[in-house]
Amino acid sequence: MIGLTVRQMLYFDALAQTLHFGRAAKLAGVSQPALSAQIAEMEERLNCLLFERGGKSVRMTDEALALQPRIERILADIRDVETTARRGRPAMEGRFRLGMIPTVAPYLLPRVLPELKRHFPALQLELREAVTASLVEDNVSGKLDAFIAALPLDHAGLITEELFPDRFFLAVPAGDPAFASPPVPPESPALERLMLLEEGHCLREQALAVCGNVRPVAMASYGATSLTTLLQMVAHGLGVTLVPEMAASAAGVMPDLRIVPFQEPMPQRMICMAWRRNKVRQDECAELAKIIRGLDAAVLAS
């Protein structure tokens, strides 16, 4: 009998996600020696090497890659069993794993976290920030209980609830004569200087949709991974970029940067919450969505 433990599978999953023993130990909430010892025991019981260690780098072996999806399914099933057993207890008590896209998390969390703490003092919220595709994958596999992103989400296994609309503005260099008289029409030639986030960010696709009449060949893509980086580039006169309303206040205080509106009707995205269609934690997800929806729109944009 092999006798693998749930703890070993949890540590395996953490190391497979991070490929770093220190970060994996932090993710699992244990010391690095404890995690290393359990991984070594797991390898001994399976009689195969799972992770190749080389200085600070870690690489998964073929055996580990073959095991990974099966271990993920086992852990997802265990989490569902734990959640089912918790039914009847107070909502939003204990561990809840919530994901958010990077163009929402920094701006929504400061408003939402105090409300959640006030309504659910026993909640142990675990947060993950990632692009939409990764959040969908993690939610479907059971690594996340729910996530917040922008519609549309094309996945039959998800339930979505709209939270609030988020209008788009344009961040431009302060004093730029091309934007001396806003609002900006979506066909403005000045939008040919539009800078985009790298592939995988939904804000990139939304920007292309908003400025669909501008020649794509003239749009600059610098492979930026964050909106903050793009805003810094705009402030230094390298171009312009789309900014969601929830980020507009923070962007507006940056030196050498100006936030200007588009012509009405202003383009917008719809922020939603999504979770798996498995009847596990659905009531809690719906309650969380209700709390966020109940926040005043002015508070979200402030």
Side-chain angles (χ1 to χ4, degrees):
M1 184 175 179
I2 293 176
L4 290 182
T5 66
V6 174
R7 177 180 298 171
Q8 288 167 350
M9 288 187 282
L10 286 168
Y11 293 177
F12 172 95
D13 185 54
L15 188 53
Q17 288 185 54
T18 61
L19 296 179
H20 187 281
F21 276 91
R23 288 194 289 270
K26 185 176 181 180
L27 180 64
V30 297
S31 68
Q32 184 172 329
L35 182 136
S36 298
Q38 288 295 319
I39 294 294
E41 184 176 333
M42 186 177 182
E43 290 175 326
E44 183 179 348
R45 290 186 177 184
L46 293 173
N47 194 29
C48 68
L49 184 69
L50 298 174
F51 297 94
E52 293 182 358
R53 292 82 159 167
K56 293 184 178 180
S57 64
V58 177
R59 190 181 74 84
M60 296 177 69
T61 64
D62 291 341
E63 290 80 2
L65 290 170
L67 280 174
Q68 187 179 17
R70 302 182 68 177
I71 288 178
E72 287 178 347
R73 286 196 296 271
I74 291 170
L75 293 176
D77 287 342
I78 291 172
R79 289 171 182 132
D80 284 350
V81 168
E82 291 174 341
T83 300
T84 301
R86 288 177 49 81
R87 286 180 178 172
R89 301 183 191 181
M92 301 300 288
E93 180 184 80
R95 184 184 189 214
F96 191 92
R97 299 155 301 161
L98 180 65
M100 288 192 191
I101 56 175
T103 56
V104 166
Y107 315 106
L108 182 61
L109 284 175
R111 282 81 169 178
V112 169
L113 290 179
E115 286 297 307
L116 293 182
K117 187 173 182 180
R118 183 169 68 87
H119 283 86
F120 310 112
L123 177 66
Q124 299 171 15
L125 193 63
E126 296 181 9
L127 297 167
R128 168 165 163 72
E129 183 181 274
V131 296
T132 302
S134 295
L135 294 179
V136 170
E137 181 180 343
D138 285 353
N139 185 246
V140 172
S141 68
K143 292 181 180 179
L144 290 174
D145 296 306
F147 66 94
I148 294 174
L151 289 173
L153 294 175
D154 186 18
H155 196 290
L158 295 176
I159 294 174
T160 60
E161 279 204 22
E162 293 183 355
L163 297 178
F164 55 87
D166 190 25
R167 296 184 301 172
F168 286 123
F169 290 76
L170 197 65
V172 304
D176 190 321
F179 303 98
S181 301
V184 180
E187 67 277 5
S188 170
L191 293 177
E192 293 181 356
R193 297 154 49 200
L194 189 70
M195 296 187 297
L196 307 171
L197 289 171
E198 67 177 6
E199 295 283 354
H201 288 265
C202 60
L203 187 60
R204 175 188 178 91
E205 302 307 318
Q206 291 155 357
L208 290 171
V210 168
C211 306
N213 294 326
V214 180
R215 290 177 298 148
V217 293
M219 291 185 179
S221 177
Y222 292 86
T225 60
S226 75
L227 181 59
T228 301
T229 299
L230 282 182
L231 292 173
Q232 289 287 349
M233 296 164 73
V234 172
H236 285 83
L238 299 181
V240 301
T241 198
L242 217 62
V243 58
E245 186 171 13
M246 64 167 58
S249 294
V253 300
M254 293 178 60
D256 303 317
L257 194 71
R258 184 181 173 209
I259 307 299
V260 297
F262 282 96
Q263 278 185 350
E264 295 286 355
M266 290 181 64
Q268 65 180 31
R269 60 180 180 174
M270 177 58 70
I271 304 300
C272 75
M273 176 173 284
W275 59 89
R276 287 177 293 158
R277 278 183 196 277
N278 63 355
K279 297 184 180 179
V280 176
R281 308 206 81 162
Q282 290 202 36
D283 291 345
E284 291 174 289
C285 292
E287 184 66 21
L288 179 56
K290 180 181 177 182
I291 295 296
I292 297 174
R293 240 187 345 260
L295 292 175
D296 188 90
V299 173
L300 289 171
S302 63

